[in-house]
Amino acid sequence: AELNAMQMAMRLMLANLKEYRAFIPPALLAGRHENEHGHAESEVAIVFTDIVSSTSLWARCGDSMAEALKRHNCIIRICIAEHGGYEIKTIGDAFMVAFPVPEDAVSFGLSVQRMLFEAEWPEQLLEHEAAEKSDDGAWNGIKVRVGVNYGTAEIVEERGRVDYYG
């Protein structure tokens, strides 16, 4: 029920992009300046996440993977909110997220890994080699790559959304 309530709230925010802008951390909008082409730019930490072997998981564990993806997305979005990030976009099971400072981005990545490890995963998924529990207790469930890049990015606003390039 709690997961459904959060998903509904996220859908509502996305449906009204003007209200959603109010949730963009001010630090991501501050510190902007124009580059030589007249475009806004700022220092920003960009994080990309991606589920390891998701194509194989979908092929062999379709229904379980659908449930796991919902849980994954919920965990990612909880961590984004807890660490002051901004969800730029998703593509399939991948997220692109912005943070004002690299420390927040790295803390986000660690929180994601911790919450994924602690999550309950469908049994069928845990039987797949890409998501099985490790014998040493180091891993449990889906594995997610998290990459962080920090630097100057061009800020582009289109259709009420903010995107970053560079």
Side-chain angles (χ1 to χ4, degrees):
E2 190 175 320
L3 174 62
N4 289 337
M6 183 177 169
Q7 287 174 332
M8 187 58 121
M10 293 301 283
R11 284 190 186 113
L12 206 68
M13 283 194 307
L14 292 173
N16 191 337
L17 294 175
K18 287 185 181 180
E19 286 184 25
Y20 185 65
R21 271 186 72 72
F23 293 96
I24 298 173
L28 288 175
L29 300 175
R32 293 191 201 200
H33 58 277
E34 286 191 6
N35 62 21
E36 64 273 9
H37 305 292
H39 299 121
E41 62 181 26
S42 180
E43 294 290 309
V44 65
I46 302 291
V47 175
F48 292 94
T49 70
D50 180 55
I51 296 176
V52 175
S53 300
S54 62
T55 303
S56 175
L57 287 164
W58 276 108
R60 295 195 17 222
C61 311
D63 291 340
S64 293
M65 188 57 184
E67 180 184 335
L69 184 63
K70 287 178 188 175
R71 188 162 296 139
H72 160 271
N73 291 353
C74 182
I75 288 169
I76 296 281
R77 289 185 172 118
I78 287 169
C79 292
I80 290 170
E82 287 178 351
H83 295 279
Y86 172 69
E87 181 180 326
I88 300 167
K89 62 180 95 175
T90 61
I91 301 170
D93 61 72
F95 277 75
M96 180 180 179
V97 184
F99 292 89
V101 295
E103 294 84 0
D104 291 341
V106 171
S107 293
F108 160 81
L110 292 170
S111 291
V112 165
Q113 298 298 349
R114 193 170 15 260
M115 287 184 73
L116 289 170
F117 180 83
E118 293 169 355
E120 294 290 324
W121 300 105
E123 276 305 312
Q124 181 188 21
L125 198 75
L126 293 173
E127 294 169 4
H128 190 286
E129 63 272 7
E132 63 189 352
K133 285 185 177 185
S134 62
D135 291 335
D136 62 3
W139 204 256
N140 172 46
I142 61 171
K143 297 172 181 77
V144 175
R145 290 182 280 264
V146 179
V148 178
N149 185 42
Y150 181 73
T152 302
E154 187 173 311
I155 302 165
V156 178
E157 295 184 52
E158 292 179 349
R159 296 182 290 254
R161 298 284 304 161
V162 175
D163 205 346
Y164 294 84
Y165 298 95

